[in-house]
Amino acid sequence: MLFSTPKSRSRRQWLLPLVAITTSLATHVAAAEIAPHELPSYHYGAPIRVECMNRSSETGEHIETPAHEIQWIPFPMCEETKAPLEFNYGIETEQNCTIPMIDDPFFHLLEFYIHSDAPLACRLPARPPPQVEIVGEKPHVTEYVPLVFALAGTLQLSHMHISTHMNVLLHSTPKHHLHKKDSGVLDSATAYSTSPLTHMEGSSTRRLVIGDPLPLQFSVRWFPTPELPRVEGKVEWQGMGGHIYASTVFYALLSFGAGVCVSSVWFFGSVLPQRLKGRSLGGATPLGYGGGVKDVRSTNKMAVYNESRLNYVWLAWFALSIPIILFIDALHFYPSSWYSSPSAPLHIFHLARQDYIAQYNDPIVQWSPSTSVPGSHDSWIGLFLYLEFGFTLPVVLYGFFLLTVKRKGTTGRDELLFLVYALETALTTLVCIYDVGYWDPAVYSEEAKRTMVLQFFGPWFLVPSIMAVDMARRILGRIKVADESVEERQRRKGQ
């Protein structure tokens, strides 16, 4: 409109300040509510520059800036790269960094470091700097992870012996679903000298005087979680002594219980009834066998209940599945007071689950709704968990009840239900097997992936697949008998 009335002008007078206030609040909220997953993270192979605390060579005290903050300087220049020391995210390597010449001030600082009067305290940025900043807002403050180089050696009057080989352990924040060459955030780091007491020829311990070069060798290793380093896939210092771990005890008890269950069912369901058949014990026996019991399979072309011996196999499978679903997969959905403390009733299952995660770092087992990473495309794990608790668990409980308490075999409706269960279990497990191929090779070796597929996911695909074939065969047999009955009735009517 070219002209405005006094009424419209008064309306705009209170409307414009309201719009300005609303826009300002929206901008402030958007800037304030930056979630951690929206901040930048390191890409695979990204350089991470090392900064160290600047210290006085006379006293070893740290030096402050005019703003009374600790002054950080780059790590000394490496002769190999002509640049300060840096590590690459996710890259495990043997890295050399030769400091060309040790001058007098740095030599005295090395004395402080080796004597532990002052540590060689350094730091690494936990994340790369953000590429986008909001105008008018305070820039994001970079967070740093401390990295202390524990240099070791011995001091002499005219020289020193220093262990130049160092192990560098770098931990990433845990991600519950890792992809090939995945990105990540630094969680913690440490570095320490190895074999500092060995001064023999050929060892990593060097005799050092002022003016000599200092050849440092770093064995860099990355870990996808803050868990302690592992040896051959096992946490050697975790367990109950020797090579016995909580998971070992759990699986031993589970195997014993499954063996007892299968043996009992086989005895009471097959051996004992066969021995009681033909004996005139009447109907007072616990299983109802005796002279007065009529075998329905002798009078019908096809029994209502299928009593195949494979039912014992499926019973053992159901008996094995119940504790795994209830006490392993669903454990963290229970109140923490049920499993966290050593006196909690489910603590043994918590130890077994933690030991399994520490050994194999299974991202699917570690997934939970509260710790899922938005944008990582792992929401299907939650769907599979809800399907497991809402469908798989009730079917497994029913199957165990059917084959132990009723002891009548399976009906057509049972076989259809078990067919759907077997197909669902095999399909969801096949998705997990396929996903293993996309796990980050920097975190999971080919041997580790093969172990996951063959030892853990493989049986949960193979056994339900065999069950699906068995149930389909039974259902097709019932359909065949039904068709033959219909044809027989039609033939009689035609006569």
Side-chain angles (χ1 to χ4, degrees), residues 258 261-262 265 310-321 400 403:
C261 180
V262 173
V265 171
L310 283 176
N311 288 348
Y312 301 124
V313 178
W314 309 142
L315 175 59
W317 176 256
F318 292 148
L320 179 65
S321 301
F400 185 80
L403 299 178

Side-chain angles (χ1 to χ4, degrees), residues 42-48 87-91 172-173 175 182-186 222:
Y42 287 112
H43 293 288
Y44 180 79
I48 305 176
F87 303 114
N88 298 94
Y89 183 83
I91 303 287
S172 297
T173 55
K175 296 187 69 174
D182 204 359
S183 59
V185 179
L186 197 60
W222 284 86

Side-chain angles (χ1 to χ4, degrees), residues 202-256:
S203 67
S204 298
T205 302
R206 296 297 180 91
R207 183 181 184 274
L208 191 67
V209 297
I210 297 176
D212 287 347
L214 178 58
L216 296 176
Q217 300 172 333
F218 300 102
S219 296
V220 183
R221 299 294 181 267
W222 284 86
F223 299 93
T225 66
E227 299 292 337
L228 293 175
R230 294 166 291 172
V231 178
E232 296 179 356
K234 296 182 179 179
V235 181
E236 295 294 330
W237 46 86
Q238 179 180 345
M240 291 179 283
H243 296 280
I244 304 299
Y245 301 92
S247 60
T248 307
V249 177
F250 167 72
Y251 288 119
L253 294 176
L254 188 63
S255 302
F256 175 77

